[in-house]
């Protein structure tokens, strides 16, 4: 897999240095008669986005001649470790992990390595572990795109920030990206963050409660909302609807969930950040097959996860609003025109 540098970014934590990469080149299916088995340990299948990841990853890996075993813990840290141990005991050749808890899943990496199995961190970075590879979108840029879109509409005013799960490393990267953009305006006094909270387990109900509290604490005088993903944006918009403010206050999300894209079409959500997960799934599948086959990856860029300098590949996200829905999400077939508009 050829990794081509396309720029340099400084991540949210001093331990993380990231470089934006173009997608890797394609590789043929392995020539060996032995079928490579890949274990896919997923945080959850309770959100729409992750069904797409599961299906696209399986399809990509199977097209390369591999088999995929999937287990999802639905936000339960202990269960995710247990499921990963099961996959290890079943003799998978490589483990791909979408961590629920960036710290707790370090135990999975340790157990896998004891069994001689390499681990790829999928979309979310596993912290403090010697993972073999990390592939994701540029999550700090996701937050920057959110903030740029909202600040262009509301250069001055009272902002609410509704974060994701504090245990998710990506949630911290999203937030850092947002504040990379907003901080100069905050320092000038143009923008005031009047409410800032994490949403446990990315639960939309928690986001709804946060938005209710923000409205009550500020007598409903809120000018803009940035939510860490589309599910939390949906929770915030539910509270805004109850206050008669849906569509009046700009709201940003990310993930391009169908409900969010429909809200963008309806005018109650301002934008989302689209991450073409078909590219992510294909890149990880190709990388998994190569690593499982023991191929040398050559010189690559690294990110510090608190313990090790981990080889990584970052993919660029795309800002989407009502103006470019057609040329991005719909053109790619991520959602159909009928799903978005004809309901």
């Amino acid at each position: 897999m050829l990794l081509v540098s396309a720029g340099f970014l400084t991540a949210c934590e001093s331990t993380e240095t990231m470089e934006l990469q173009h997608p890797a080149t394609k590789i043929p299916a392995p020539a060996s008669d032995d079928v490579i088995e890949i274990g896919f340990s997923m945080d959850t299948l309770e959100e729409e986005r992750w069904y797409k990841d599961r299906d696209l990853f399986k399809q990509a890996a199977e097209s390369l001649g591999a088999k995929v075993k999937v287990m999802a813990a639905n936000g339960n840290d202990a269960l995710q470790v247990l499921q990963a141990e099961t996959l290890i005991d079943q003799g998978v050749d490589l483990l791909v992990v979408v961590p629920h808890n960036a710290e707790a899943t370090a135990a999975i990496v340790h157990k896998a390595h004891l069994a001689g199995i390499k681990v790829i961190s999928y979309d979310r970075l596993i912290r403090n572990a010697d993972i073999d590879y990390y592939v994701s979108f540029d999550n700090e840029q996701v937050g920057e795109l959110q903030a740029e879109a909202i600040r262009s509409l509301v250069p001055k005013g009272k902002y609410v920030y509704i974060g994701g799960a504090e245990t998710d490393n990506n949630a911290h990267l999203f937030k850092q990206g947002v504040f990379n953009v907003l901080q100069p305006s905050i320092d000038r006094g143009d923008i005031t963050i009047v409410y800032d909270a994490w949403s446990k387990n990315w639960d939309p109900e928690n986001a709804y409660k946060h938005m209710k509290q923000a409205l009550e604490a500020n007598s409903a005088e809120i000018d803009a909302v940035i939510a860490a993903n589309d599910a939390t944006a949906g929770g915030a918009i539910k509270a805004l609807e109850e206050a008669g403010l849906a569509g009046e206050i700009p709201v940003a999300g990310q993930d391009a969930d169908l409900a969010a894209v429909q809200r963008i079409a309806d005018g109650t959500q301002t934008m989302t950040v689209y991450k073409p997960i078909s590219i992510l799934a294909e890149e990880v599948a190709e990388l998994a097959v190569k690593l499982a086959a023991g191929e040398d990856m050559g010189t690559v860029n690294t990110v510090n996860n608190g313990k090790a300098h981990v080889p990584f590949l970052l993919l660029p996200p795309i800002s989407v609003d009502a103006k470019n829905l057609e040329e991005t999400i719909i053109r790619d077939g991520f959602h159909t025109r009928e799903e978005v508009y004809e309901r």
Side-chain angles (χ1 to χ4, degrees), residues 163-183:
E166 191 172 8
T167 56
D168 184 345
N169 188 66
N170 280 5
H172 292 269
L173 293 172
F174 299 147
K175 184 174 183 178
Q176 181 62 35
V178 167
F179 282 86
N180 286 347
V181 172
L182 296 186
Q183 197 60 52

Side-chain angles (χ1 to χ4, degrees), residues 18-98:
M18 297 185 173
E19 188 169 340
L20 186 60
Q21 305 284 332
H22 286 305
T25 55
K26 304 302 177 186
I27 61 170
S32 170
D33 292 334
D34 294 330
V35 176
I36 291 174
E37 290 195 346
I38 301 169
F40 196 17
S41 170
M42 303 187 70
D43 161 23
T44 185
L45 284 173
E46 292 183 334
E47 294 179 23
E48 171 197 320
R49 179 258 162 102
W50 296 109
Y51 280 99
K52 290 182 179 290
D53 285 86
R54 179 197 63 185
D55 295 345
L56 289 167
F57 178 74
K58 278 178 60 68
Q59 179 181 348
E62 289 169 359
S63 74
L64 295 171
K67 291 184 178 180
V68 180
K69 296 180 177 180
V70 180
M71 291 189 175
N74 293 333
N76 185 318
D77 293 339
L79 180 57
Q80 185 167 25
V81 173
L82 180 61
Q83 289 176 339
E85 288 176 341
T86 299
L87 291 168
I88 291 167
D89 291 341
Q90 289 176 353
V92 296
D93 298 292
L94 185 134
L95 196 59
V96 176
V97 180
V98 183

Side-chain angles (χ1 to χ4, degrees), residues 13 76 109 128 148 199 211 236 249 256 289 303:
E13 300 177 57
N76 185 318
V109 181
N128 296 313
E148 287 166 357
S199 299
M211 193 69 235
I249 298 174
V289 169
V303 55

Side-chain angles (χ1 to χ4, degrees), residues 286-300:
E286 292 165 4
L287 179 61
V289 169
K290 292 190 77 171
L291 285 177
E295 294 191 33
D296 182 8
M297 301 307 300
T299 302
V300 295

Side-chain angles (χ1 to χ4, degrees), residues 111-181:
K111 293 175 186 293
H113 283 177
L114 287 176
I117 298 170
K118 293 182 178 180
V119 179
I120 297 174
S121 193
Y122 182 107
D123 194 52
R124 300 172 179 171
L125 182 63
I126 298 173
R127 302 281 301 167
N128 296 313
D130 292 313
I131 54 178
D132 298 281
Y133 228 102
Y134 166 51
V135 185
S136 185
F137 290 91
D138 185 341
N139 294 306
E140 194 167 336
Q141 188 183 10
V142 168
E144 291 171 348
L145 292 175
Q146 290 181 305
E148 287 166 357
I150 299 302
R151 189 184 62 177
S152 69
L153 297 172
V154 186
K156 296 183 179 181
K158 296 180 178 180
Y159 275 54
V160 169
Y161 184 75
I162 297 178
E166 191 172 8
T167 56
D168 184 345
N169 188 66
N170 280 5
H172 292 269
L173 293 172
F174 299 147
K175 184 174 183 178
Q176 181 62 35
V178 167
F179 282 86
N180 286 347
V181 172

